[in-house]
Amino acid sequence: MVNLILFGSFFIMLLLNIPIAFCLGLSAVFSLLYAGMPLNILATNVYSGMAKFLLLAIPFFVLAGNIMAKAGISTRLIDFADSCIGHRRGGLAIVSVIVACFFGAVSGSGPATVAALGLILIPAMIDRDGFDAPFASALIATSSSIAIVIPPSIAFIVYSSICGASVGDLFMAGVVPGVLMGLALVVVIMIEVRRKGIQSTREPAPWGARLKSFGKAFWAFLMPVIILGGIYSGLFTPTEAACVSVFYGLLVGFVIYRELKLKDLFSILVDSAKTSGGIMLIIAAASLFSYCCTTQGIAKAAQTLLLNVSGNKYVFLIIVNVIFLIAGCFVDANSAMYIFIPIMFPVAQQLDINLVHFGVIATVNLAIGQVTPPVGVNLFVACGINIPGQEKVTIPQISKAVWPMIVACVIVLLLVTYVEPISMALTWIGK
C-alpha cells in the first residue's frame, strides 16, 4: 500500500502539472506518513541529499554560463561559424548545431542554450535559408539538448554524486557522443535541404574575415579547454573548476569583450540563484523519493527484477534505454537520475558495465528526453521565442517537426550504448 501511495500520488500530481520537485517531495512525504515513520527524517535526508561538496559545482557552472551569455559569447560564436560554413546550403542551420555544441560547453544547460541562441538563429534560419518555423525551432531545441552531454555537464555532476564515478572521466567520455549527436543533426539538415530545395544565399567569406571572427571567438573556445584541462590534469577538482570558470567569465566579460557592466551583475546573480535553487530543490526532493524507494524495498525488488529479466548486459542496456527514454518524456534529467540511477547502477556493476560508460548512456537518453513530447523542456522554451513576422510555433507543430531529429539522436544512442570505445576512447587515451 505504501508503494501505491508513493507512485500513485507522484503520477497524479505529475498529470496535474504540478512542478516535478513538489511531485517527488510530496509523494515521499505521503508515503512516510502512511508508513508511520518519524518526520524528523525528512530534514536529515533532504540535507544529506544536497550536502555534497561535488554539488557545489552546479551553482558555479550555472553562474559561469550566465556570465558568458551576457558577455556576448553567443554572437561571436555565431559570427565565426557563419563565416566558415554559412555559405553552404542550409548553412545557418549547420551553424546553429555547431554553436549550440560550443555554447552548451559554456552553459551546461539545454534550456539556457535554447534561450540564448534561439532569439538570433531561429529568425535567421527562416529569413535567410528558407526553413519553416517549426523545423528551425525544433532544430535549436534538439541541438541545445547536447549541452548536457558536452562537458561541463550538470547531469554528469549529478550522476557522479549518486554513484561516485569520476567527474573528469565523465566529462571526457561525453565529448565524442556529443559531437556524434551534432553530426546526426547535420545529416537531418542535409535531408531537409534536399527535400525543400534550399539553395545557398551568399558567397564564402574571405579567409581574413574568418580569422578575424576566430580571434573574437577565441576566448569563448578557451573556456572548456581550461575546465577540462584543469580537471583532467589534476590541477583542480570539478568544484574548483566551476569557481575558476566564474572568474574566467568575469575576466572575459569585463576586460576582454567589455560587454559586461557592474549593473548587469545583480540580474546575473538573481537568474543564477533561481536556476540553481530550482535544481537543488529537485535534487533534495528526489533524494527523499529515492530514500523511500530504498526503505520500502522497491529499489531492491527492482534490481532483482532487472537481473532476472536481463541476465545479459546487452538486454539490460536495451531495458535501460527504454526506461530512460520513457522517463525523459515526463521528468527532467536530474529527477530521472535520482529516481533510476540508484536502482540501475548496482545492476550495471554486477553485469560488469563500466560506470562511466553507463553514465554517458543515461545522459544521452536524458538529453533526448529534453525534446520528447509531452514534457520536453527545450520544446517549450523554443515555442516561447518570438519570431518577427511569424506566429509563435505551437507544441503540436514543433512535436511533429522534431521527430526526425529524435530518430537521428536515438541512432547515436544505440551506437554509444553498444560500441563502448565511442564514449571511453578519450578516457582511455588520457590514462
Side-chain angles (χ1 to χ4, degrees), residues 395-411:
I395 287 295
Q397 287 175 328
I398 199 172
S399 297
K400 182 179 178 181
V402 81
W403 277 110
M405 304 169 202
I406 292 175
V407 170
C409 290
V410 168
I411 292 171

Side-chain angles (χ1 to χ4, degrees), residues 3 293-294 296-309 343 347:
N3 298 344
C293 289
T294 302
Q296 299 305 318
I298 299 171
K300 187 65 177 177
Q303 289 168 12
T304 303
L305 178 63
L306 281 172
L307 276 173
N308 291 338
V309 172
I343 295 172
V347 180

Side-chain angles (χ1 to χ4, degrees), residues 247-325:
F247 284 102
Y248 179 77
L250 292 172
L251 174 67
V252 170
F254 280 113
V255 181
I256 299 173
Y257 290 164
R258 298 183 180 180
E259 292 202 16
L260 271 183
K261 309 297 180 186
L262 282 174
K263 64 180 181 181
D264 296 327
L265 286 181
F266 180 76
S267 62
I268 289 172
L269 290 169
V270 170
D271 289 342
S272 301
K274 288 179 179 178
T275 303
S276 303
I279 293 171
M280 298 308 289
L281 182 61
I282 289 172
I283 288 174
S287 298
L288 188 60
F289 189 92
S290 180
Y291 169 79
C292 290
C293 289
T294 302
T295 56
Q296 299 305 318
I298 299 171
K300 187 65 177 177
Q303 289 168 12
T304 303
L305 178 63
L306 281 172
L307 276 173
N308 291 338
V309 172
S310 56
N312 182 291
K313 72 175 183 179
Y314 299 106
V315 177
F316 169 72
L317 289 174
I318 290 174
I319 295 172
V320 166
N321 283 335
V322 171
I323 290 172
F324 272 123
L325 286 173

Side-chain angles (χ1 to χ4, degrees), residues 311 313 316 345-355 357 420:
K313 72 175 183 179
F316 169 72
F345 93 84
V347 180
Q349 285 181 308
Q350 291 186 52
L351 295 175
D352 199 29
I353 299 171
N354 186 290
L355 284 185
H357 180 220
E420 187 176 348

